[in-house]
Amino acid sequence: MTFKERYYRTLVVSSSSKFNDNITPILTSSHCEPIVFANSVAAAKRCSLESPFDFVIINTPLPDELGSKYAIDISMNKNTLCLMFIRSEIYEEVKSKVMPYGVFTLPKPTASISIKYGLDFLSSSRERLRSQEKKTLSIEEKMEEIRLVNHAKWLLIDHLKMTEQDAHRYIEKQAMDACVSKSEIAKEIIATYS
């Protein structure tokens, strides 16, 4: 799969229909689909509870708050990236508050090409997060395999009076002979002797 084939589930939090109309074609050309719209922070929170998003785009201010607290909260989710559009007169102040939390910011008004570049940064960062997620999963899977194998080894030691080294060799040989993972053999041993 190439990078261009990736799609990013996107939540746009904006009370401006003009902003929504202008950003929609930019989002779709940047593979930000499906797009869900919310017109307030409260509505955005409800949407976030229903489904995870890759990107959250916030057009400040919002009717119920500026949106910076929500941007910080959503950025604490390790799988979601946030981009805030902030009025130029308060841009520096808000940016300095949200930037330490990983919130991307752009001043308003913003040219379409700048929005496209901002989305490219989000896409690049999301792909990096994805690769980190895969590494984390493989480490967790490996740790689970180690736990299962150790449990199975102790059962073999206890029930069949094997040495730890013999139990370990037994599990490895069974896995190789059956062309399955050590986890599968460990699960069978655990089911047999537990």
Side-chain angles (χ1 to χ4, degrees):
M1 177 185 290
T2 65
F3 182 71
K4 289 280 184 191
E5 293 173 349
R6 210 45 105 181
Y7 286 86
Y8 305 98
R9 188 167 168 72
T10 304
L11 173 62
V12 176
V13 188
S14 171
S15 60
S16 167
S17 57
K18 182 179 177 187
F19 176 87
N20 295 348
D21 291 343
N22 289 336
I23 201 166
T24 299
I26 300 168
L27 290 172
T28 54
S29 71
S30 297
H31 300 278
C32 296
E33 296 181 284
I35 304 168
V36 176
F37 292 92
N39 61 5
S40 67
V41 170
K45 287 179 179 178
R46 284 191 297 276
C47 290
S48 296
L49 290 174
E50 292 172 12
S51 178
F53 292 95
D54 295 303
F55 303 155
V56 174
I57 312 290
I58 301 174
N59 177 35
T60 66
L62 295 162
D64 47 355
E65 67 173 79
L66 179 66
S68 54
K69 184 179 178 331
Y70 176 65
I72 291 168
D73 290 345
I74 204 73
S75 291
M76 297 310 235
N77 176 342
K78 63 182 177 183
N79 300 322
T80 303
L81 297 169
C82 185
L83 172 62
M84 278 184 81
F85 289 89
I86 307 161
R87 287 191 334 257
S88 56
E89 56 270 11
I90 61 169
Y91 178 76
E92 289 300 324
E93 175 190 345
V94 176
K95 179 185 86 167
S96 67
K97 288 179 183 173
V98 299
M99 201 169 77
Y101 298 95
V103 177
F104 293 86
T105 58
L106 286 172
K108 292 192 308 187
T110 306
S112 295
I113 192 70
S114 296
I115 296 171
K116 175 80 172 107
Y117 291 151
L119 292 170
D120 289 345
F121 282 121
L122 288 179
S123 298
S124 177
S125 297
R126 184 63 183 104
E127 291 310 310
R128 185 169 186 210
L129 287 174
R130 244 186 257 281
S131 71
Q132 294 301 318
E133 290 167 18
K134 287 178 185 174
K135 287 179 185 174
T136 301
L137 281 176
S138 66
I139 290 170
E140 288 172 1
E141 289 167 353
K142 188 68 178 165
M143 292 299 295
E144 179 60 22
E145 180 180 276
I146 290 169
R147 278 192 284 279
L148 285 170
V149 169
N150 282 338
H151 185 191
K153 280 194 310 191
W154 286 110
L155 288 170
L156 291 173
I157 290 167
D158 191 41
H159 290 278
L160 300 180
K161 308 301 182 213
M162 289 184 178
T163 66
E164 184 176 357
Q165 200 172 19
D166 289 341
H168 188 77
R169 259 193 304 250
Y170 175 82
I171 293 169
E172 282 184 336
K173 184 167 179 2
Q174 292 297 314
M176 280 192 285
D177 291 349
C179 295
V180 296
S181 69
K182 289 187 282 186
S183 294
E184 293 301 314
I185 298 299
K187 287 176 187 175
E188 290 175 14
I189 293 168
I190 292 168
T192 302
Y193 293 106
S194 289

